[in-house]
Amino acid sequence: MAVLRVSGSSLAERLASLLSLPEARRAALRTLEWDGFRERALVLFFPGPNSYTGEDLVEFQVHGNPLLARRLLSHLGALGVRQAEPGEFTRRALLHGKQGLLEVEALRDLVAAETDTQIRLAQARAGAQPAWIHLARTTLAPWMARAEAAVDYGEEEGIILDHKDLKENLAALRARFHVEQTRSRAARHLREGLRLGIVGRPNAGKSTLFNALAGEDRAIVTDLPGTTRDVLEVRCEWRGLPLRLFDTAGLRDSEDRVEQLGVARVGAVLEGADLVLHLTPIGEGPDGLLETTLAPFRGKVLEVRTFADRGEAAGVAIAAHQGDLDALEAALKERLLGGLAPDACLGALATGRQLELLDDLAHQLDLLLALEEGCPPEVSASLLQGAWAQLARLTGEDRADSALDALFSGFCLGK
Ligand SMILES: Nc1nc2c(ncn2[C@@H]2O[C@H](COP(=O)(O)OP(=O)(O)OP(=O)(O)O)[C@@H](O)[C@H]2O)c(=O)[nH]1
Ligand SMILES: [Mg+2]
């Protein structure tokens, strides 16, 4: 089927020459006739404001021939209906207060999600506003009122802002923010997919690990050193972790021109990775890469010992060819998710915009917590207002149109 949705005011009149609209929210068959076409369509009518967009909304379900759908679209065009811009239905929903900005961002992520974890995370965010936002509002509001009162009437009425009390209250909120910051950083990684580069000397077991994580035989594995020559990329989900994996050519000095080119490409992988897995087989000495190629990326290198079936080693040891990867799973969750399980991130904020505002908000609270006893109430009042304004920006109650343009350009037509 093809579904065509029309949103706007007074749709009953505008579409009168094509059909009589059915009863609200009840599917009905209508025969649509235009330009010599005759199509039986299932029609739904959602009168505003009780619709997705908050305006009158009509949905036509017709046979799924793209040409037929285009012909109906152009006829609707002749009736004064224009093609929606990307995300325009949702944008109208937002403008009419049917959806909050956080929900809309979650919806965009839901549509774009590529793995089970990403779907679950987006669904959790689309459902309800995070509880901590409510907590922040109810904590800040009375203190804003008190600070304003102290500014306006302090001297005449003897109203003083009790900083000790204020700080106690805010310290609890700040602790909650800290938890949310940790959860949100992890959620952001999961939302974007963790970019893992796999590097090491030839025959270190890179492609074997790559295949094991991807769950399919994507890279060629042989016991000949120098098997992989190009960078291979795969997207997958492994044990709840959305991954973008990069297998690379084994790093060594080689006379082979193709291999040299492959080695040269490893640099881009190192630059772009969230984490670089540096593989060294158990029983073999260091390859010296940490002091050379990997030196600029040390902060994001995770040392992994391969061939764990052949011996013992401290740290993260794996035997990828037999699926023995638990140590790697634990290390990834520790390094990239702050030790959290993916499910612990459900409901956490996750986009760059959201994280930036959450960090700003936390910083604002830090400034309030650092105020000296007896500082003028004007200072606390303005910091409290700043925090309040950041909350409003986060939820979209205070919104800049340019930010909305950027958001909706990421939507598809008709959503
Ligand atoms: N016993 C054992 N063999 C392994 C393990 N990991 C890889 N191998 C074997 O080691 C050989 C090399 O593995 P690859 O995964 O191709 O190594 P690579 O690092 O991709 O090598 P290049 O592409 O040449 O750089 C293959 O024969 C694998 O089957 C392991 O943990 N234990
Ligand atoms: Mg390989």
Side-chain angles (χ1 to χ4, degrees), residues 385-398:
Q385 274 167 6
W388 190 263
Q390 264 146 1
L391 268 177
R393 278 169 62 203
L394 184 62
T395 58
E397 278 138 272
D398 161 25

Side-chain angles (χ1 to χ4, degrees), residues 60 156 203 220 224 269 302 327 364:
F60 298 98
E156 307 94 87
N203 265 359
I220 297 173
L224 302 173
V269 171
L302 177 68
Q364 200 83 1

Side-chain angles (χ1 to χ4, degrees), residues 377-393:
E378 283 81 358
V379 179
S380 334
S382 107
L383 287 174
L384 283 163
Q385 274 167 6
W388 190 263
Q390 264 146 1
L391 268 177
R393 278 169 62 203

Side-chain angles (χ1 to χ4, degrees), residues 147-275:
E148 295 299 327
V151 169
D152 292 347
Y153 308 110
E155 296 203 346
E156 307 94 87
E157 313 276 340
I159 300 176
I160 307 162
L161 194 64
D162 182 345
H163 271 91
K164 192 166 160 289
D165 236 20
L166 168 69
K167 283 189 189 182
E168 260 173 40
N169 252 236
L170 293 187
L173 186 61
R174 180 65 183 89
R176 180 65 191 272
F177 277 16
H178 182 74
V179 173
E180 288 305 325
Q181 284 175 302
T182 310
R183 270 170 24 97
S184 296
R185 283 204 191 98
R188 184 180 185 179
H189 270 314
L190 295 173
R191 171 182 184 264
E192 290 168 7
L194 307 164
R195 298 171 65 98
L196 295 188
I198 305 174
V199 303
R201 61 157 68 103
N203 265 359
K206 300 179 294 299
S207 299
T208 305
L209 174 61
F210 179 82
N211 288 341
L213 295 176
E216 54 179 316
D217 275 341
R218 278 291 302 277
I220 297 173
V221 170
T222 71
D223 54 4
L224 302 173
T227 301
T228 308
R229 294 165 154 232
D230 210 343
V231 173
L232 294 182
E233 182 184 348
V234 70
R235 289 173 189 235
C236 61
E237 180 162 308
W238 178 71
R239 302 194 185 176
L241 301 171
L243 302 178
R244 286 183 67 181
L245 298 173
F246 298 87
D247 186 17
T248 62
L251 292 167
R252 65 171 174 185
D253 287 329
S254 169
E255 299 287 304
D256 183 307
R257 189 138 157 70
V258 178
E259 197 174 341
Q260 283 171 2
L261 290 172
V263 170
R265 290 190 175 184
V266 177
V269 171
L270 295 174
E271 292 280 347
D274 293 312
L275 194 67

Side-chain angles (χ1 to χ4, degrees), residues 242-368:
L243 302 178
R244 286 183 67 181
L245 298 173
F246 298 87
D247 186 17
T248 62
L251 292 167
R252 65 171 174 185
D253 287 329
S254 169
E255 299 287 304
D256 183 307
R257 189 138 157 70
V258 178
E259 197 174 341
Q260 283 171 2
L261 290 172
V263 170
R265 290 190 175 184
V266 177
V269 171
L270 295 174
E271 292 280 347
D274 293 312
L275 194 67
V276 174
L277 306 181
H278 176 213
L279 274 44
T280 315
I282 290 175
E284 292 183 21
D287 54 21
L289 289 174
L290 260 191
E291 290 72 39
T292 53
T293 317
L294 295 180
F297 307 100
R298 258 171 190 259
K300 57 179 182 183
V301 171
L302 177 68
E303 293 297 330
V304 177
R305 305 303 303 270
T306 50
F307 294 71
D309 50 312
R310 290 193 183 162
E312 303 268 311
V316 181
I318 59 169
H321 70 306
Q322 57 192 41
D324 177 359
L325 296 165
D326 292 354
L328 180 62
E329 178 186 357
L332 287 182
K333 288 182 176 164
E334 189 55 46
R335 284 288 287 263
L336 295 165
L337 306 183
L340 294 176
D343 274 1
C345 305
L346 289 176
L349 300 180
T351 73
R353 182 196 81 87
Q354 294 167 352
L355 255 78
E356 221 169 90
L357 282 166
L358 178 56
D359 286 345
D360 286 354
L361 207 54
H363 179 64
Q364 200 83 1
L365 285 199
D366 286 338
L367 293 177
L368 275 156

Side-chain angles (χ1 to χ4, degrees), residues 10-184:
S10 323
L11 290 190
E13 290 97 86
R14 287 190 203 209
L15 303 177
S17 67
L18 185 62
L19 81 168
S20 65
L21 290 180
E23 195 184 326
R25 284 177 293 282
R26 293 224 170 216
L29 275 172
R30 289 284 186 273
T31 303
L32 310 178
E33 292 188 67
W34 79 97
D35 299 346
F37 300 113
R38 196 161 191 284
E39 171 71 355
R40 291 272 280 171
L42 197 63
V43 182
L44 279 154
F45 175 40
F46 303 89
N50 298 320
S51 69
Y52 183 74
T53 54
E55 305 167 332
D56 281 357
L57 194 121
V58 176
E59 214 174 274
F60 298 98
Q61 300 184 13
V62 298
H63 291 102
N65 177 328
L67 177 62
L68 168 69
R70 274 206 304 280
R71 293 294 181 251
L72 181 53
L73 262 185
S74 14
H75 181 64
L76 288 168
L79 299 180
V81 173
R82 73 166 167 78
Q83 178 94 40
E85 284 160 28
E88 190 171 358
F89 282 76
T90 306
R91 185 171 193 146
R92 290 189 183 195
L94 180 72
L95 295 177
H96 293 131
K98 305 297 288 189
Q99 303 230 22
L101 185 55
L102 294 175
E103 280 174 278
V104 169
E105 286 171 321
L107 196 63
R108 178 193 53 185
D109 286 357
L110 180 59
V111 173
E114 291 179 342
T115 75
D116 294 350
T117 296
Q118 288 173 338
I119 289 181
R120 282 194 209 102
L121 287 169
Q123 283 175 331
R125 281 164 48 218
Q129 197 167 85
W132 66 263
I133 292 184
H134 182 70
L135 177 73
R137 288 224 161 98
T138 48
T139 308
L140 291 173
W143 285 107
M144 276 171 69
R146 274 172 224 158
E148 295 299 327
V151 169
D152 292 347
Y153 308 110
E155 296 203 346
E156 307 94 87
E157 313 276 340
I159 300 176
I160 307 162
L161 194 64
D162 182 345
H163 271 91
K164 192 166 160 289
D165 236 20
L166 168 69
K167 283 189 189 182
E168 260 173 40
N169 252 236
L170 293 187
L173 186 61
R174 180 65 183 89
R176 180 65 191 272
F177 277 16
H178 182 74
V179 173
E180 288 305 325
Q181 284 175 302
T182 310
R183 270 170 24 97
S184 296

